[in-house]
Amino acid sequence: MILLKDVPEEEITRLILKHAMEDWINYVKSDVIIVGAGPAGLTAAYYLAKAGLKTLVLERRVTVGGGMGGGGNLFHKLVVASPANEILDEIGVRYEKVGDGVFILDSVQMIGKLLSAASDSGAKIFLGVDVEDIIYRENPLRIEGVVCIWSAVPIAGLHVDPIALKARAVVDATGHDAEILNVVAKKIPESNLKLLGEKSMWAPEGEKFVVEKTCRVLPGLYVAGMAVNALFGGPRMGPIFSGMLLSGRKVAQLIISDLRGH
């Protein structure tokens, strides 16, 4: 017979509230806030936290992985090309070589390993959080954080004031919609930010484009993943994720260099 410890309902609630609030209070100010827990966002979080930077990931859904979860048209496989397999090796993803520099792997394992790598390296990930605005300063123009609200609030059609979280760097890793960049372009005209919009599919070109164009957009604001293609007018690439992983690693390297003054 298993002697299961009794935990009263009120104690369960108390523990959840106490420790959740401690995490939120601790991350009111971070080194880096990444918006979006897809492949680029989780990869960036892994490298940033591994480098010792206080890293927070905000995801509006209550799941992670972005476009990886559906694989290719709900088939459970993803394709990765070299040299992105270096990242797979580093975080322990199993894959099969199916051509010269081409690899196939399970979407669920990719999500699990990326999530585990980011979390184990020290990144904090909050789910169900919708980033609806940013914090900025002028003279000179700089992005200094995000404004967020529970995702359930807009779904319910409620009007509730949001809360603000500060950071030295904010990463738009929201994917095709480039949500943070769109907020900046719309609400801060002096940013002179204009989104060209994502083009139709051209997988090889899209893979290269997303890595090459990953960058610092404004002081304090960076872009990675498919938001890059939405900003600069690059083509989509579908269920091949090498560019996304390499973009996440590149943006992390840029931020580490900027924040450490290299």
Side-chain angles (χ1 to χ4, degrees):
M1 180 177 178
I2 298 174
L3 297 176
L4 186 62
K5 171 71 175 177
D6 289 337
V7 184
E9 293 84 355
E10 69 278 11
E11 178 65 5
I12 296 169
T13 300
R14 187 191 71 80
L15 289 169
I16 289 171
L17 293 178
K18 177 179 183 294
H19 291 276
M21 284 299 98
E22 287 175 355
D23 277 351
W24 273 90
I25 290 168
N26 186 35
Y27 281 87
V28 165
K29 189 170 185 179
S30 304
D31 290 319
V32 187
I33 292 176
I34 299 168
V35 187
L42 289 176
T43 303
Y46 163 63
Y47 285 106
L48 288 163
K50 185 181 177 184
L53 294 176
K54 187 176 180 181
T55 303
L56 174 63
V57 182
L58 302 175
E59 168 58 51
R60 75 161 35 150
R61 295 186 287 185
V62 292
T63 57
V64 302
M68 292 187 293
N73 194 36
L74 295 181
F75 294 108
H76 61 286
K77 295 291 184 179
L78 305 175
V79 175
V80 167
S82 61
N85 59 303
E86 297 169 356
I87 299 172
L88 302 182
D89 291 336
E90 189 171 341
I91 65 175
V93 177
R94 295 190 305 271
Y95 57 83
E96 179 184 352
K97 185 175 181 180
V98 291
D100 184 17
V102 182
F103 312 94
I104 192 83
L105 54 111
D106 281 4
S107 58
V108 171
Q109 213 217 19
M110 171 89 117
I111 294 170
K113 290 293 187 177
L114 268 177
L115 176 60
S116 177
S119 180
D120 289 349
S121 68
K124 183 64 66 174
I125 302 169
F126 292 162
L127 303 179
V129 179
D130 185 15
V131 175
E132 64 168 33
D133 205 348
I134 56 90
I135 304 168
Y136 80 107
R137 297 291 184 266
E138 294 179 334
N139 302 317
L141 178 64
R142 178 173 179 81
I143 307 305
E144 292 205 346
V146 301
V147 179
C148 60
I149 203 161
W150 296 122
S151 300
V153 171
I155 292 172
L158 302 175
H159 174 72
V160 178
D161 281 327
I163 59 174
L165 304 175
K166 296 290 287 290
R168 298 165 67 197
V170 173
V171 181
D172 187 337
T174 60
H176 301 274
D177 295 329
E179 295 167 17
I180 307 306
L181 298 175
N182 270 295
V183 167
V184 174
K186 178 181 177 182
K187 301 183 77 170
I188 310 178
E190 58 268 37
S191 69
N192 296 315
L193 191 60
K194 298 190 185 308
L195 279 73
L196 298 181
E198 175 191 295
K199 292 182 179 178
S200 294
M201 185 177 288
W202 183 359
E205 185 63 21
E207 283 263 280
K208 296 174 197 154
F209 192 98
V210 72
V211 181
E212 291 171 0
K213 297 291 188 179
T214 295
C215 67
R216 183 181 73 170
V217 181
L218 294 168
L221 178 63
Y222 300 77
V223 63
M226 284 310 300
V228 171
N229 295 39
L231 174 59
F232 293 112
R236 67 186 303 178
M237 66 284 287
I240 180 167
F241 284 85
S242 10
M244 307 294 281
L245 298 174
L246 294 168
S247 174
R249 184 171 70 178
K250 180 179 177 180
V251 82
Q253 292 167 342
L254 290 171
I255 293 169
I256 292 165
S257 178
D258 286 351
L259 294 191
R260 292 180 174 171
H262 296 161

